[in-house]
């Protein structure tokens, strides 16, 4: 079964750091661009970051640029998002997603909740 | 990276058709044929319904269709069914390796 499973979410204080992970299974992970998309409670979807299949190219939304780092380990079939200098407005469910064609996403994880609060 | 504009809500009776709009600019929706639509049930992950403006992934009913005119894309759901009640989000490539989503539309089946 094609599957993405996120982990690593939790409660963190403002200014703190957290790394969330996304374990892929059932497909050739190393062949796909991967993305992180977040959704604040009761709000819409927001694109966060993307990474090329071989990890050689990354991009970020302006709101997280310089604070978040996307990476991947193709040997472990795992995608990561390192989040530093966290702010209250980063509170959201973080989804990883697989690119289907161009800039669209056919497989999503169940999401992991990140709460930034003192 | 401004969000695309969607109506907050839409509704229709079973069997009817409903169209949800998604308005952007020439830098996103109008500039690329990379508009997608997602269906999301409460507390669930989104599901891809339409990609590249008009294409349907395998398994998506042909009651769902997409189109685009200028800076506005549209999702039409024909023959509304109770299970179509969900939130719908559009997205578009916005250049410079960025993707932008719409604010979402809550579809109610009356």
């Amino acid at each position: 079964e094609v599957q993405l499973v996120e982990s690593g979410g939790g409660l963190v204080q403002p200014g703190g750091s957290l790394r969330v992970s996304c374990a892929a299974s059932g497909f050739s992970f190393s062949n796909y661009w991967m993305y992180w998309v977040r959704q604040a409670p009761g709000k819409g979807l927001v694109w966060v970051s993307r990474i090329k299949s071989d990890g050689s190219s990354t991009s970020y939304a302006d709101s997280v640029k310089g604070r978040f780092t996307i990476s991947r380990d193709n040997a472990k079939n795992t995608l990561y998002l390192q989040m530093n200098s966290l702010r209250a407005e980063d509170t959201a469910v973080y989804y990883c997603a697989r690119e289907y064609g161009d800039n669209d996403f056919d497989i999503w994880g169940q999401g992991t909740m990140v709460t930034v609060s003192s | 990276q401004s969000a695309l504009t969607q109506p907050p809500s839409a509704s229709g009776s079973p069997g009817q058709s409903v169209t949800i709009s998604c308005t952007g600019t020439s830098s996103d929706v109008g500039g690329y044929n990379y508009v997608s639509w997602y269906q999301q049930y409460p507390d669930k992950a989104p599901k891809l319904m339409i990609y590249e403006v008009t294409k349907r992934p395998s398994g998506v009913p042909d009651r769902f269709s997409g189109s685009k005119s200028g800076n506005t894309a549209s999702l039409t759901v024909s023959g509304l069914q109770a299970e179509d009640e969900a939130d719908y989000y559009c997205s578009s490539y916005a250049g410079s390796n960025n993707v932008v989503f719409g604010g979402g539309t809550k579809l109610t089946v009356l």
Side-chain angles (χ1 to χ4, degrees):
Chain A
E1 179 189 6
V2 175
Q3 196 173 358
L4 296 170
V5 178
E6 298 95 337
S7 61
L11 175 64
V12 60
Q13 292 188 340
S17 298
L18 197 66
R19 188 179 82 162
V20 293
S21 304
C22 169
S25 60
F27 66 98
S28 296
F29 179 71
S30 61
N31 289 345
Y32 289 87
W33 286 70
M34 296 295 296
Y35 290 70
W36 287 100
V37 176
R38 69 184 182 185
Q39 186 170 34
K43 302 296 184 181
L45 302 170
V46 176
W47 171 76
V48 173
S49 184
R50 67 193 272 177
I51 186 168
K52 192 177 178 180
S53 53
D54 63 2
S56 63
S57 175
T58 60
S59 56
Y60 301 89
D62 287 345
S63 59
V64 306
K65 200 172 295 183
R67 301 188 298 123
F68 289 13
T69 302
I70 189 172
S71 62
R72 64 192 297 161
D73 185 336
N74 285 345
K76 295 183 178 180
N77 292 334
T78 303
L79 175 73
Y80 303 100
L81 185 67
Q82 176 67 44
M83 302 180 287
N84 298 331
S85 302
L86 282 161
R87 307 166 180 166
E89 54 264 37
D90 295 319
T91 294
V93 173
Y94 283 75
Y95 293 101
C96 60
R98 183 182 84 168
E99 185 175 75
Y100 180 64
D102 285 286
N103 306 287
D104 40 60
F105 322 119
D106 66 332
I107 304 298
W108 295 68
Q110 84 287 354
T112 188
M113 182 70 202
V114 173
T115 303
V116 184
S117 175
S118 55
Chain B
Q1 297 176 350
S2 299
L4 306 176
T5 300
Q6 296 182 234
S9 63
S11 63
S13 299
Q16 289 186 332
S17 293
V18 64
T19 297
I20 299 170
S21 63
C22 170
T23 301
T25 69
S26 58
S27 297
D28 38 63
V29 174
Y32 307 94
N33 287 322
Y34 293 133
V35 175
S36 307
W37 289 91
Y38 300 87
Q39 177 190 64
Q40 187 181 35
Y41 294 114
D43 298 320
K44 298 294 185 182
K47 175 186 176 182
L48 180 65
M49 305 300 285
I50 297 288
Y51 69 102
E52 292 177 13
V53 181
T54 61
K55 299 177 181 179
R56 272 188 317 275
S58 174
V60 173
D62 60 6
R63 303 185 294 102
F64 292 85
S65 62
S67 63
K68 190 184 83 167
S69 177
N71 296 336
T72 298
S74 299
L75 172 72
T76 297
V77 186
S78 305
L80 268 175
Q81 299 182 4
E83 68 249 34
D84 298 333
E85 184 163 298
D87 293 328
Y88 290 84
Y89 293 90
C90 62
S91 73
S92 175
Y93 181 62
S96 301
N97 296 318
N98 293 323
V99 174
V100 61
F101 283 92
T105 297
K106 181 177 180 60
L107 175 61
T108 301
V109 180
L110 302 171

